[in-house]
Amino acid sequence: MTPQTSPTSQTSPSSPTSSSRQSAAGPRGRVARAVTTRPRLLLLLILLLTAGAVVVGGGVAERMSSGGSQIPGSESSYATAELERRWPASQPNLLLLVSPRDGTRDVDDPAVTSAARDLARQLVDEEAVLGVVSYWQTEDTALRARDGGEALITARIKGDEDAVDDALEALEPRYRGAHGAVDVRLGGPAAVRHASQEVIADDLVRAEVIALPVTLVLLVVVFGSAVAAALPLLVGIVSVLGTNAVLRVITEFTDVSVYAQNLTTALGLGLAIDYALFLVRRHREELAAGRDPRDAVAVTLRTAGRTVLYSALTVAVCLASMLVFEQYFLRSLAYAGIAVVLISAAASLVALPAALVLLGHRVNALRLPVGRRGGNPGAGWARLARLVMRRAPLFAVGTVAVLLALGLPFKDVRFGTADDRQLPSSTEARVVQEELRNEFPGSPGSALAVLVEGKPTAEALAEYSGEVSRLAHVVQVAGPAGRFVDGKRVDDAPPAVGYVSVLHSAESASPQSVSLVKKIRSVPASFETSVTGPAAVLADTQHGTAERLPWALAVIAVTTLILVFLLTGSVLLPLLTVVVNGLSLTAMFGAVVWVFQDGHLSGALGFTPTGDIETALPVLMFCVAFGLSMDYGVFLVSRIKEECEIGGDHRDAVVLGIRRTGGLITAAALILAVVMVAIGTSRVTNIKMLGLGVGLAVLMDAMVVRALLVPAVLRLTGRATWWAPAPLRRLQRRVGLEEEARTTYPDIPTRTERPVSGRT
């Protein structure tokens, strides 16, 4: 083996020459100078900014919405807007489920009829309400339960989602409960959305209460020092508060999904703790190598700080890819993701180093009787790496086979949209929707509406309505030409309106309802038609998402390849990184289908399976989990590259890189998994799926992919891992923020003392 430079031949870690060279090195050198010369001023400024963030971001939850799945400019979006503007009664978003207080009566009882009509008249007088229609007004059997025990009053609360929520809060106490001879429960899309926001907000508080103390305990175990353990947690809190303030400002300009706050909490705590953990660990290594605290901070910023910067850029790009989608559900999550990643990185690279300078060697204070003591840090990881590399083909093929097998259930995925079954079973809005599905001939909340334009003749409308009524799953068609069932007119035409209502028996978010939408859109007509309703929105969402997905994947792939190349100077390694990271997500996607679509473990986890998966959720989970996987991948390959530049031997560098980062990545993944599982305790199914799915992906990536697959693949690729054409190598050296080689550390024998790979 090529002889290595002995530690005595290197510049002393604390020498003036070394220190001055480090502090003068490029942008990170300027950051280091600012941090080391004015740490108190920086921390005071950050404290003031955080206090301002608390004030600005305090009411962010009230400004968010649970909608955002509709594709702007789609057929369903256009029809929805036109119908709401011209015929608000066509799209009721508030349903009053009316039942007799005396269980022996039915809805046609005179006392019940009188009370229900009074209730409808009262609702008509509400300023925020339009288009009130009741069973007692129309005697439409679609608004009456099959057994006659319940009936409906439907209405439209006008305005955008914020206005609807505000109006509903005012209406609820006046209409829910007893009204003479009847009892009233509230349902419909507005009530479901409002209940979702309330449940998510409560669950988020509980998740934070669970995650913070558990995270602190894990950090204490990792560091063995209460002071060192507190620093990453404080950085995480600053990141969450800062991002909430950014989101509050964004809500002044555009809609933001309520899911963004869950993502903020998960990533704000997880990434900030990851970055801080990485930096604090490296800082303590530099202190142990004999550097003074200021030099240790400077070296940490120039080495681990570079890694954190690349990691943050990569994760931010993965999350920014959601901006290519048109629905604001995904776009608002991109806003939150970009903000939380950049704030986490900034807090880690500015606030944390300033605190480390002030603490000095006291960063190791308050040592507790937990955590690692003495021994040979990372020895177990080194042994595992050597074992894997000795049997590289076996581990590579075996790990890939297992990952692909875990992902097999995803081939049977069925995409749908969220409905009331996302909510806990006792929620009133869900109970009402269950009654509509089970007891009414066709759920008014899931009806389709066909906007009619072009001044068709009565004969043309009648022919069209009769044709639609013959389609499978259609219960009745009602519109300007009358009501039709199985192609026959059953009622005379009401006063002329510009839409046709299609009541159907299929689930609103099922393949049958999506197929029905496509069939209705294909029915020939001599006039213009536009179909909307829950199933039409789902059909357009699926089409729009599928159309934009390749662009999002291309953004992630291309930027990842560029950033990993700039980090490593390798042509092959970026390709391997993308493939390996993709494989790390297979278990997550397989579990999503096996558990949440097919319903396995639904009893233990406390949710109701619907037989499909929210269309946009796998996109979100992919972007988040891929970004986090890149986070750990950057940590590992940057350390392997550093070791390779010092020692020159590829296999030794892989072993030492895993030895140095294995425990760190595992600890970071475990902490992030705790945060995601805390989010996964939510009572809303999609939040539960997001938290538990990403938590599983993080653990699989850290404990299987980074520990087994990566060293096996790097052993097979050998020195070719680091090859690049000379022009690209020169480009990387100019723009890649190259770091200088570090010194060896006293707790790891030098390569001249002991060949890591066991070879002589």
Side-chain angles (χ1 to χ4, degrees):
M1 188 168 75
T2 304
Q4 308 297 321
T5 304
S6 71
T8 58
S9 67
Q10 301 180 36
T11 303
S12 170
S14 57
S15 70
T17 302
S18 174
S19 176
S20 63
R21 185 177 66 249
Q22 290 152 0
S23 63
R28 283 166 295 151
R30 289 192 289 273
V31 172
R33 283 199 302 275
V35 167
T36 55
T37 57
R38 297 181 180 273
R40 288 183 176 84
L41 180 61
L42 275 176
L43 288 178
L44 177 60
L45 179 61
I46 291 166
L47 180 61
L48 292 175
L49 290 174
T50 303
V54 172
V55 175
V56 174
V60 65
E62 300 172 1
R63 302 279 302 177
M64 293 182 171
S65 170
S66 61
S69 61
Q70 208 160 2
I71 303 288
S74 63
E75 179 178 326
S76 59
S77 179
Y78 167 76
T80 298
E82 285 297 301
L83 289 170
E84 183 173 359
R85 182 175 66 87
R86 297 158 64 183
W87 298 286
S90 67
Q91 300 236 285
N93 58 6
L94 176 65
L95 305 178
L96 275 63
L97 184 62
V98 181
S99 57
R101 297 195 69 190
D102 182 351
T104 61
R105 298 177 179 179
D106 63 25
V107 294
D108 294 311
D109 182 89
V112 173
T113 299
S114 176
R117 286 176 175 170
D118 289 343
L119 197 64
R121 283 193 291 268
Q122 180 183 345
L123 193 60
V124 168
D125 292 335
E126 296 287 353
E127 183 180 354
V129 176
L130 300 170
V132 177
V133 176
S134 77
Y135 162 73
W136 297 272
Q137 168 196 355
T138 64
E139 296 185 355
D140 185 350
T141 56
L143 301 178
R144 180 179 182 272
R146 296 184 183 91
D147 63 2
E150 297 167 318
L152 286 171
I153 300 174
T154 70
R156 178 84 186 179
I157 302 177
K158 63 183 180 181
D160 59 18
E161 290 179 343
D162 291 335
V164 170
D165 287 337
D166 292 341
L168 186 60
E169 286 186 0
L171 294 171
E172 277 181 333
R174 297 204 293 270
Y175 288 90
R176 176 184 286 122
H179 291 266
V182 299
D183 280 321
V184 177
R185 291 174 289 176
L186 303 186
V192 170
R193 184 175 62 248
H194 186 66
S196 297
Q197 289 174 302
E198 289 184 335
V199 173
I200 288 172
D202 291 342
D203 290 347
L204 184 60
V205 173
R206 187 179 68 251
E208 291 171 347
V209 169
I210 294 171
L212 288 175
V214 176
T215 297
L216 181 58
V217 169
L218 290 173
L219 287 170
V220 170
V221 172
V222 171
F223 286 118
S225 162
V227 173
L231 292 174
L233 193 60
L234 291 175
V235 173
I237 293 172
V238 169
S239 301
V240 172
L241 295 176
T243 306
N244 283 341
V246 172
L247 291 178
R248 176 62 181 82
V249 173
I250 292 175
T251 60
E252 294 293 331
F253 303 97
T254 186
D255 294 315
V256 176
S257 171
V258 69
Y259 289 85
Q261 202 170 19
N262 291 274
L263 186 66
T264 295
T265 298
L267 293 184
L269 289 176
L271 286 176
I273 288 173
D274 279 2
Y275 298 155
L277 189 67
F278 195 61
L279 291 167
V280 172
R281 173 68 69 86
R282 186 56 179 262
H283 177 71
R284 295 175 80 189
E285 288 181 359
E286 299 298 337
L287 290 177
R291 299 187 188 275
D292 66 57
R294 291 179 186 274
D295 281 351
V297 166
V299 173
T300 298
L301 285 174
R302 295 182 58 250
T303 54
R306 175 176 182 264
T307 301
V308 167
L309 178 60
Y310 272 103
S311 173
L313 290 175
T314 306
V315 178
V317 165
C318 291
L319 297 172
S321 66
M322 289 185 285
L323 291 173
V324 306
F325 297 99
E326 296 178 279
Q327 54 267 58
Y328 82 74
F329 166 73
L330 289 174
R331 294 177 71 88
S332 61
L333 293 171
Y335 304 146
I338 295 169
V340 74
V341 171
L342 297 182
I343 292 174
S344 297
S348 300
L349 294 174
V350 178
L352 180 61
L356 292 173
V357 169
L358 292 178
L359 285 171
H361 290 280
R362 288 171 295 178
V363 70
N364 296 318
L366 298 181
R367 285 198 171 272
L368 303 175
V370 293
R372 180 173 283 118
R373 284 285 187 272
N376 195 353
W381 289 103
R383 286 194 295 271
L384 177 61
R386 292 191 205 100
L387 172 63
V388 170
M389 295 176 77
R390 281 198 300 270
R391 301 287 186 269
L394 176 63
F395 277 98
V397 173
T399 305
V400 169
V402 170
L403 292 173
L404 292 177
L406 291 174
L408 278 178
F410 193 70
K411 66 181 176 60
D412 298 320
V413 65
R414 294 183 296 276
F415 294 109
T417 190
D419 60 19
D420 57 280
R421 288 169 291 182
Q422 292 280 311
L423 294 169
S425 58
S426 59
T427 307
E428 181 177 280
R430 174 174 173 176
V431 172
V432 171
Q433 298 302 118
E434 294 279 9
E435 290 286 326
L436 296 179
R437 271 192 295 271
N438 298 331
E439 304 299 332
F440 284 70
S443 173
S446 63
L448 297 170
V450 183
L451 175 67
V452 175
E453 297 176 295
K455 297 182 179 180
T457 64
E459 293 77 10
L461 271 174
E463 182 181 354
Y464 176 80
S465 299
E467 191 67 27
V468 172
S469 71
R470 294 188 183 95
L471 297 176
H473 302 295
V474 173
V475 175
Q476 72 172 32
V477 176
R483 285 198 302 134
F484 291 78
V485 176
D486 292 332
K488 298 179 181 179
R489 192 196 307 267
V490 296
D491 279 334
D492 291 334
V497 292
Y499 67 93
V500 173
S501 177
V502 181
L503 205 63
H504 61 91
S505 59
E507 291 283 353
S508 62
S510 66
Q512 291 81 10
S513 63
V514 171
S515 175
L516 176 59
V517 169
K518 295 176 180 177
K519 290 176 181 177
I520 293 174
R521 287 175 172 172
S522 66
V523 171
S526 59
F527 45 88
E528 296 180 9
T529 62
S530 303
V531 183
T532 188
V537 171
L538 172 59
D540 291 340
T541 299
Q542 290 178 340
H543 175 74
T545 302
E547 194 174 54
R548 297 294 183 106
L549 183 59
W551 291 101
L553 296 177
V555 168
I556 292 174
V558 171
T559 53
T560 296
L561 293 173
I562 293 172
L563 288 170
V564 177
F565 167 73
L566 292 177
L567 174 69
T568 63
S570 164
V571 171
L572 179 61
L573 196 54
L575 297 171
L576 293 176
T577 300
V578 170
V579 173
V580 167
N581 285 359
L583 285 171
S584 72
L585 308 185
T586 54
M588 175 184 74
F589 284 122
V592 160
V593 171
W594 191 76
V595 175
F596 290 96
Q597 176 181 290
D598 299 340
H600 299 98
L601 304 179
S602 58
L605 295 177
F607 70 91
T608 301
T610 60
D612 53 56
I613 300 297
E614 166 74 41
T615 302
L617 199 59
V619 176
L620 168 63
M621 295 176 72
F622 174 84
C623 293
V624 173
F626 191 90
L628 294 174
S629 179
M630 281 300 305
D631 191 37
Y632 300 136
V634 167
F635 285 177
L636 177 57
V637 299
S638 66
R639 197 59 184 256
I640 293 175
K641 177 178 180 287
E642 183 181 343
E643 299 292 346
C644 194
E645 289 177 342
I646 295 170
D649 185 88
H650 172 71
R651 281 177 284 183
D652 285 356
V654 172
V655 173
L656 281 169
I658 291 174
R659 179 177 185 172
R660 275 294 183 185
T661 62
L664 178 66
I665 290 175
T666 302
L670 184 59
I671 290 169
L672 183 55
V674 166
V675 175
M676 297 307 304
V677 169
I679 296 292
T681 62
S682 174
R683 293 166 292 167
V684 175
T685 306
N686 276 354
I687 301 293
K688 188 187 298 291
M689 188 189 310
L690 173 65
L692 297 182
V694 174
L696 174 62
V698 166
L699 292 177
M700 289 295 295
D701 181 72
M703 297 184 177
V704 176
V705 173
R706 304 298 157 198
L708 301 178
L709 183 58
V710 170
V713 170
L714 292 182
R715 172 65 180 87
L716 294 174
T717 56
R719 292 293 302 178
T721 303
W722 308 105
W723 178 84
L728 288 180
R729 174 67 70 181
R730 287 193 295 270
L731 173 65
Q732 189 267 342
R733 286 173 177 166
R734 282 199 301 270
V735 300
L737 297 178
E738 283 287 350
E739 65 189 56
E740 295 180 22
R742 63 161 174 82
T743 58
T744 55
Y745 299 109
D747 61 337
I748 293 185
T750 63
R751 295 170 187 76
T752 53
E753 296 172 307
R754 179 186 55 77
V756 176
S757 62
R759 295 176 287 109
T760 58

